[in-house]
Amino acid sequence: MLEHQGLLRTQRVVEFIHGIRLTIGSRELINFSSNDYLGLASHPAIAEAMGEGARRWGVGSTASRLICGTTEEHAALEEELSLAKGTQAALVFSTGVAAAAGTIPALAGKGDVIIMDKLAHACLIDGAHASGATLRVFPHNNLDKLESHLRWASKTHSGGRILIVTESVFSMDGDLAPLHGIVELKEKYRAVLFLDEAHAVGVRGAWAQGLAGELGLNGRIEIQMGTLGKALGVSGGYIAGSRQLIDFLINRARSFIFSTAPSPAVAAACRASLRIVQSPEGDLLRNRLRENLQLFASEMKIPEPPSAIVPLILGSEARVLQETARLQSEGFFIPAIRYPTVPRNTARLRITLSSAHLPEQIMRLAAVLKESGLRE
Ligand SMILES: *Cc1c(COP(=O)(O)O)cnc(C)c1O
């Protein structure tokens, strides 16, 4: 059934991966699909920090955070994350999915309202459903509809909390949320904002600030969420916010309380990655990413993308599968992104660029895409 609809998913086993090169089915391909926007997943200093962390602490954390799983590496990582994000405190989870799954239901429940962007990531939707709060969805980035939901919620749920949930850089479209407008509406209606910066950290703003920091809004956003597994190149998720919020989550976020702590070696690697992202080397990598995005945009004759994600929406599953196969035969790895990851009839190539791509690889990809008349 799924296969017939072009929706069957299978795993591809990667035989080799380093930077932007990967081998699948004995074929070496240039990868234009990863979230490793700064090439840090294969950075030698970060690999060294992980090895050193494992030698010092062992490979596993042995217990949940609240038993004996919080090492000095975890504590230091949280301190450094809160400095990077400009918040009082931060809390690390094993993944970004776990951060959302633990935090949203801790903050909202029966009698509260969650108002969410239509294109929000699956983990935000799952968190909202699990919370038991009343859920309202606004069309993507539509401030008028957001305001009408806020107006409704403040009348009908005056005793409850109103939580707005959105992303800063949208994962499958690469566009930005109108964050100034959202923050203003949030304040007007005394709501609280949960902002998922998964694809913005390391790409937007200096250091690991994300869009909130770039726009100087971090002091006005109650809950900043992110992942350590995308531009930071390692793995894990976090929430940054007030000391009071973090102390509350330590006591209420079930995915934090009941899960084995991330390995201290992973925490050590995340610290090394954060140091690089905040250093002149990080600036250099971000500049190179921007140059790569500008080159791809000028070759494709499209506006410069605001993030490292460039979607080419083809519509039908069959078309995108065919295009993926053609790109693979030309030496490029760009899998088809289909329903349910994106809405029906918006199947796409989700092209991601990295600071590690070389100009000739980008120009060649653009030439191959243009051969089949593919433009945005
Ligand atoms: C990837 C992603 C997450 C989940 O983060 P993980 O660390 O991979 O679990 C959350 N939100 C968005 C928007 C994402 O793209």
Side-chain angles (χ1 to χ4, degrees):
M1 179 70 173
L2 283 173
E3 183 166 14
H4 180 70
Q5 297 174 336
L7 294 175
L8 185 69
R9 310 282 193 101
T10 54
Q11 302 192 80
R12 304 168 197 84
V13 177
V14 173
E15 293 138 30
F16 171 84
I17 185 162
H18 190 88
I20 47 146
R21 295 186 181 277
L22 89 173
T23 306
I24 289 180
S26 306
R27 271 221 70 192
E28 190 181 310
L29 301 164
I30 306 295
N31 190 0
F32 276 95
S33 72
S34 90
N35 302 312
D36 183 23
Y37 305 127
L38 301 177
L40 296 178
S42 53
H43 194 291
I46 301 174
E48 187 53 42
M50 192 183 269
E52 182 52 37
R55 279 187 291 278
R56 172 154 181 221
W57 299 100
V59 292
S61 63
T62 79
S64 69
R65 290 287 304 272
L66 295 178
I67 304 298
C68 61
T70 299
T71 64
E72 286 173 357
E73 298 286 1
H74 297 86
L77 173 59
E78 288 171 345
E79 172 75 23
E80 289 155 10
L81 270 171
S82 69
L83 288 173
K85 303 296 288 181
T87 57
Q88 289 173 350
L91 192 66
V92 167
F93 293 71
S94 52
T95 63
V97 166
T103 302
I104 296 174
L107 292 177
K110 219 169 155 33
D112 300 325
V113 181
I114 295 178
I115 306 178
M116 183 177 299
D117 189 284
K118 176 92 172 98
L119 296 187
H121 190 266
C123 70
L124 306 176
I125 299 170
D126 292 349
H129 282 307
S131 74
T134 301
L135 180 60
R136 286 286 180 274
V137 175
F138 58 96
H140 180 48
N141 280 348
N142 186 323
L143 290 174
D144 288 340
K145 276 290 163 42
L146 168 59
E147 177 155 25
S148 67
H149 285 320
L150 281 165
R151 200 178 302 121
W152 169 84
S154 63
K155 279 201 197 109
T156 56
H157 291 69
S158 55
R161 172 178 278 162
I162 307 171
L163 183 68
I164 303 172
V165 176
T166 192
E167 297 174 28
S168 56
V169 168
F170 282 82
S171 60
M172 295 298 137
D173 292 77
D175 59 338
L176 307 184
L179 206 49
H180 274 295
I182 291 173
V183 167
E184 267 157 35
L185 286 176
K186 174 205 72 132
E187 288 170 355
K188 179 169 168 193
Y189 291 91
R190 296 168 199 249
V192 172
L193 177 58
F194 178 110
L195 183 68
D196 180 345
E197 296 250 49
H199 296 276
V201 166
V203 174
R204 298 298 312 205
W207 320 320
Q209 279 186 324
L211 189 65
E214 177 182 341
L215 301 179
L217 292 171
N218 35 2
R220 293 164 71 187
I221 296 170
E222 289 80 3
I223 307 116
Q224 299 184 58
M225 177 207 144
T227 171
L228 301 159
K230 285 169 182 160
L232 288 163
V234 190
S235 79
Y238 65 83
I239 299 287
S242 69
R243 184 73 253 169
Q244 195 185 2
L245 168 73
I246 299 306
D247 288 342
F248 177 76
L249 292 178
I250 289 171
N251 288 280
R252 285 286 192 279
R254 295 171 67 83
S255 62
F256 175 84
I257 299 169
F258 298 108
S259 183
T260 300
S263 160
V266 167
C270 290
R271 294 183 66 201
S273 177
L274 254 188
R275 273 196 297 278
I276 291 169
V277 168
Q278 296 178 279
S279 73
E281 183 184 352
D283 291 334
L284 196 95
L285 295 172
R286 271 187 296 278
N287 283 341
R288 205 171 290 157
L289 172 62
R290 191 162 321 118
E291 283 163 15
N292 283 347
L293 285 161
Q294 285 165 350
L295 174 63
F296 185 63
S298 84
E299 293 288 309
M300 295 295 291
K301 302 192 170 30
I302 56 173
E304 187 187 334
S307 72
I309 302 160
V310 188
L312 292 183
I313 297 172
L314 305 181
S316 86
E317 279 72 34
R319 174 97 200 278
V320 79
L321 285 170
Q322 186 188 345
E323 205 49 48
T324 284
R326 194 178 73 87
L327 285 160
Q328 184 147 335
S329 71
E330 298 281 351
F332 296 108
F333 185 69
I334 308 176
I337 304 287
R338 293 165 278 168
Y339 175 83
T341 306
V342 294
R344 286 192 191 276
N345 305 316
T346 68
R348 67 196 66 188
L349 295 172
R350 175 183 181 267
I351 299 167
T352 57
L353 276 87
S354 157
S355 59
H357 286 118
L358 301 174
E360 52 269 31
Q361 295 165 338
I362 293 167
M363 289 191 288
R364 188 140 148 70
L365 172 64
V368 170
L369 289 170
K370 281 192 289 194
E371 257 166 44
S372 61
L374 279 190
R375 294 231 212 100
E376 209 167 23

